[in-house]
Amino acid sequence: MSLSRLHIDSFRNIATAQLQLGDGLNLIYGQNGSGKTSILEAIFFLGMGRSFRSHLSQRVIQNDQDKLTLFAHLEQGEQETKIGLRRYRSGETEVKINGDKVKRLSTLAETLPIQVITPESFSLLFEGPKSRRQFIDWGAFHTDKGFYTAWANVRRILKHRNQMLKSEIPYQQIQFWDKELVRYAEIVTEIRKRYVGSLNERLKGIIEEFLPQVDVKVSFTRGWDSKTDYQTLLQAQYPRDLAAGHTASGPHKADLRLRVGTLPVQDALSRGQLKLLVCALRIAQGKLLKQQIDKNSIYLVDDLPSELDARHRQLLLQQLSDTGAQVFVTAIEPAAIMDSLNTPPVKVFHVEQGRVTVIE
Ligand SMILES: Nc1ncnc2c1ncn2[C@@H]1O[C@H](COP(=O)(O)OP(=O)(O)O)[C@@H](O)[C@H]1O
Ligand SMILES: [Mg+2]
């Protein structure tokens, strides 16, 4: 699966660009502030309806413009899908697939599985559990049809439950909702657990290459005490939840635990190693997706050379090309990437003040 044509209009400093993309490695280079990350961000925005850089989607619309437009052709074997997205400054978003309007943004995400690796990516290992949960759920969402609905129900019921707690509703009335919550929480947890299990198998070989002699263990924690059943726990914790005004335990607290021996990875590995670990996790996800549903991910790798030595750059590019995926890599100097490649990139683009030219 790959994007063959990409049209960007009024996105950050890119007024307009029409790119014929390569189905393998695409190298984008240019000086600081030229618009490299913006191109990756535009691809991500088309797939996810949001940015990986900013929570404020309005900010990506070019200054002085009232809307941005993104359009691409997606090739899957013989099949070609046209996807388009328009975002207005008013906040309204229009999404079209093959000319038909779609209501849910998740329809786009289903069509376009995107993996992002940026210099900020290794915050995955440092920040709170939210980003690690998103990492698990990316895989759960793409590989299990039932996940999205179950997770949406968990969120809906939790929101309602928390409102009831704030209004000090007695437990008898909350109990009815807890039954529903438990039902969906079990589905979500089962899918996540199974996914992390399969991911672990995929991850082993990649970690052996990236971090030989480091014994990294990845495990899943479901978000509440593993010995107690959720229904019993919700009832027992009601007084505490009531005092806090929200639900303390549950699938909204699930996490991925990464350890080297008994230490958390961030205490055991160097910055460069942590970065490689994040790359290994993302590559394992892409490979697993290919294995499970025969779909390739699209990789957006921003500022690849930073903090990786030449040998690891080469390893990473080799692993990425092994996935068979379409890959977009940015760098300030093209040589930093070119020198690490066994075969030349399919396409090379140069960006200068928001103008993109293809280098033949
Ligand atoms: N909404 C916007 N409208 C116009 N320009 C913008 C907007 N948002 C960011 N920019 C500018 O776009 C430029 C490109 O940024 P970026 O893609 O991060 O460059 P690079 O990754 O090549 O260093 C920056 O100079 C930034 O100031
Ligand atoms: Mg950048």
Side-chain angles (χ1 to χ4, degrees):
M1 199 184 71
S2 61
L3 296 171
S4 58
R5 269 180 50 185
L6 175 66
H7 191 148
I8 304 173
D9 235 18
S10 308
F11 193 96
R12 299 253 189 221
N13 70 335
I14 302 168
T16 183
Q18 292 205 41
L19 313 180
Q20 300 287 338
L21 306 168
D23 60 0
L25 182 71
N26 294 267
L27 168 61
I28 301 161
Y29 76 95
Q31 291 180 349
N32 284 328
S34 57
K36 304 179 294 297
T37 305
S38 299
I39 297 176
L40 302 190
E41 199 181 15
I43 296 172
F44 186 88
F45 206 96
L46 184 56
M48 306 292 282
R50 63 180 172 87
S51 165
F52 60 77
R53 281 208 277 200
S54 163
H55 304 296
L56 301 169
S57 290
Q58 262 51 293
R59 294 236 172 112
V60 300
I61 301 173
Q62 186 157 57
N63 301 339
D64 307 325
Q65 299 294 319
D66 70 330
K67 62 174 186 296
L68 67 83
T69 309
L70 301 166
F71 177 79
H73 285 198
L74 185 69
E75 315 284 338
Q76 294 164 284
E78 297 289 281
Q79 206 187 337
E80 192 185 66
T81 311
K82 296 189 177 88
I83 52 182
L85 182 147
R86 188 162 274 168
R87 171 97 193 187
Y88 294 88
R89 211 170 270 285
S90 61
E92 197 195 335
T93 307
E94 265 171 32
V95 177
K96 281 187 181 174
I97 298 183
N98 287 329
D100 297 326
K101 272 197 184 175
V102 292
K103 281 205 197 78
R104 282 195 345 200
L105 276 176
S106 67
T107 314
L108 263 187
E110 260 168 55
T111 314
L112 207 59
I114 298 180
Q115 287 284 356
V116 187
I117 300 175
T118 72
E120 290 78 38
S121 284
F122 69 141
S123 63
L124 176 74
L125 305 172
F126 286 108
E127 280 175 4
K130 188 175 171 198
S131 56
R132 286 184 297 275
R133 227 170 12 248
Q134 280 175 345
F135 172 84
I136 303 172
D137 290 351
W138 186 95
F141 171 76
H142 282 294
T143 54
D144 198 304
K145 288 254 176 288
F147 184 77
Y148 182 79
T149 313
W151 182 225
N153 276 312
V154 164
R155 283 170 56 149
R156 177 180 58 82
I157 300 168
L158 270 174
K159 197 172 157 198
H160 186 60
R161 188 179 198 269
N162 292 342
Q163 275 163 0
M164 290 191 289
L165 289 167
K166 283 193 186 83
S167 317
E168 300 181 8
I169 306 280
Y171 190 68
Q172 283 90 321
Q173 285 174 48
I174 292 189
Q175 194 164 28
F176 165 80
W177 292 92
D178 279 0
K179 286 214 175 80
E180 283 290 282
L181 178 58
V182 169
R183 191 158 78 86
Y184 290 116
E186 275 165 3
I187 300 173
V188 163
T189 302
E190 194 46 45
I191 298 173
R192 282 173 170 168
K193 203 166 102 190
R194 205 177 326 133
Y195 179 73
V196 175
S198 323
L199 187 75
N200 249 323
E201 282 166 32
R202 258 0 226 111
L203 195 61
K204 274 191 202 114
I206 305 168
I207 288 192
E208 271 163 29
E209 275 208 42
F210 280 11
L211 300 161
Q213 284 129 24
V214 183
D215 184 27
V216 183
K217 287 249 164 359
V218 180
S219 58
F220 170 66
T221 56
R222 59 182 185 170
W224 69 96
D225 174 32
S226 61
K227 288 174 210 82
T228 319
D229 93 323
Y230 194 32
Q231 177 84 55
T232 314
L233 185 84
L234 283 170
Q235 186 160 5
Q237 285 193 345
Y238 170 72
R240 231 179 80 187
D241 286 352
L242 190 69
H246 62 85
T247 311
S249 305
H252 57 301
K253 293 292 168 73
D255 200 356
L256 195 66
R257 264 176 49 175
L258 296 117
R259 294 189 172 249
V260 176
T262 55
L263 287 177
V265 284
Q266 60 271 38
D267 296 337
L269 302 178
S270 73
R271 259 177 87 96
Q273 285 178 313
L274 287 170
K275 203 166 234 186
L276 285 167
L277 178 59
V278 172
C279 295
L281 285 164
R282 300 257 174 229
I283 288 170
Q285 277 205 317
K287 287 190 167 175
L288 186 59
L289 192 72
K290 176 75 182 162
Q291 182 191 331
Q292 289 187 326
I293 61 162
D294 194 28
K295 212 173 191 183
N296 266 323
S297 310
I298 291 174
Y299 278 89
L300 308 177
V301 187
D302 201 16
D303 217 353
L304 175 80
S306 71
E307 279 176 275
L308 292 184
D309 56 50
R311 194 176 72 80
H312 284 109
R313 276 207 294 271
Q314 198 166 7
L315 258 178
L316 176 60
L317 286 166
Q318 188 56 51
Q319 283 282 353
L320 281 171
S321 96
D322 284 354
T323 63
Q326 185 177 35
V327 181
F328 296 86
V329 170
T330 72
I332 294 172
E333 295 294 340
I337 303 292
M338 294 294 214
D339 296 348
S340 307
L341 293 171
N342 300 328
T343 45
V346 184
K347 281 273 169 122
V348 181
F349 301 97
H350 180 230
V351 203
E352 203 176 2
Q353 293 181 344
R355 280 186 305 277
V356 191
T357 46
V358 62
I359 306 291
E360 299 294 348

